[in-house]
Amino acid sequence: DMALALPRKPAAVEAHRWRGEALLELGRLDEAEAAFGRYLASGGRPVANVYVARGIIRAGAGRYADAVADYNRALALEPDARTHALRGWVYLARQAYRPALDDFDAAVRLEAGWTGGYYQIAFIASPELVVRESVLCRGSRADECGPPTAAHLPQTRDRGKRLPVSAQSSNH
């Protein structure tokens, strides 16, 4: 078993990361989170995608402050629209509207073609209008439209442009 062999070979730090990615693909989220944690604790080079993956796992488990902390670390390493949007969904789901708006605004500035970001900004500004006038959502995928619900929580690895929901923290 790889889990038994890895602790005996600290020089194989990257193997923890690879294991985390494989476990994430298999949907074994608790194990994937632990493997990413071992990677980082063993001196693995901090990389944004490890923190983003762990943030998605933590948000899906309802550990919102931990998810935001991971997204913060990822953004410090590599600012990008997707990670801002992920953190924005976390804030929005927790009704922390100001930091959510800041993150969706940053996401749209970085990726102007992401229509879901404009929709979320409009939702925060006027939720009644957006819910009533679904025209703002026409042509977009369903997971980018509508007020966030538990159905938006990430359950597995997010590989595409799908931008899941969850979390709040004062660490914005």
Side-chain angles (χ1 to χ4, degrees), residues 15-148:
H16 291 294
R17 181 176 168 191
W18 299 330
R19 183 170 194 265
E21 291 175 5
L23 290 165
L24 191 58
E25 284 295 317
L26 294 171
R28 294 166 53 185
L29 304 182
D30 291 338
E31 294 171 87
E33 180 185 0
F36 289 131
R38 281 191 298 276
Y39 166 76
L40 294 167
S42 300
R45 183 177 60 88
V47 290
N49 68 344
V50 168
Y51 288 113
V52 169
R54 201 169 69 167
I56 290 169
I57 293 167
R58 289 174 167 184
R63 295 185 13 244
Y64 305 122
D66 292 337
V68 168
D70 279 336
Y71 295 144
N72 290 343
R73 288 181 193 109
L75 287 165
L77 293 167
E78 185 180 321
D80 72 334
R82 178 175 172 262
T83 307
H84 275 289
L86 287 167
R87 190 174 66 181
W89 277 106
V90 164
Y91 286 133
L92 186 56
R94 304 300 298 160
Q95 298 179 343
Y97 299 115
R98 180 78 253 169
L101 184 59
D102 292 344
D103 270 331
F104 289 124
D105 186 54
V108 167
R109 279 194 320 271
L110 290 167
E111 190 177 317
W114 179 53
T115 58
Y118 294 105
Y119 175 79
Q120 293 309 326
I121 291 167
F123 173 76
I124 293 167
S126 179
E128 299 81 19
L129 173 67
V130 174
V131 170
R132 196 174 60 247
E133 300 294 335
S134 63
V135 69
L136 292 173
C137 205
R138 211 170 279 153
S140 296
R141 294 189 319 268
D143 63 347
E144 293 180 335
C145 303

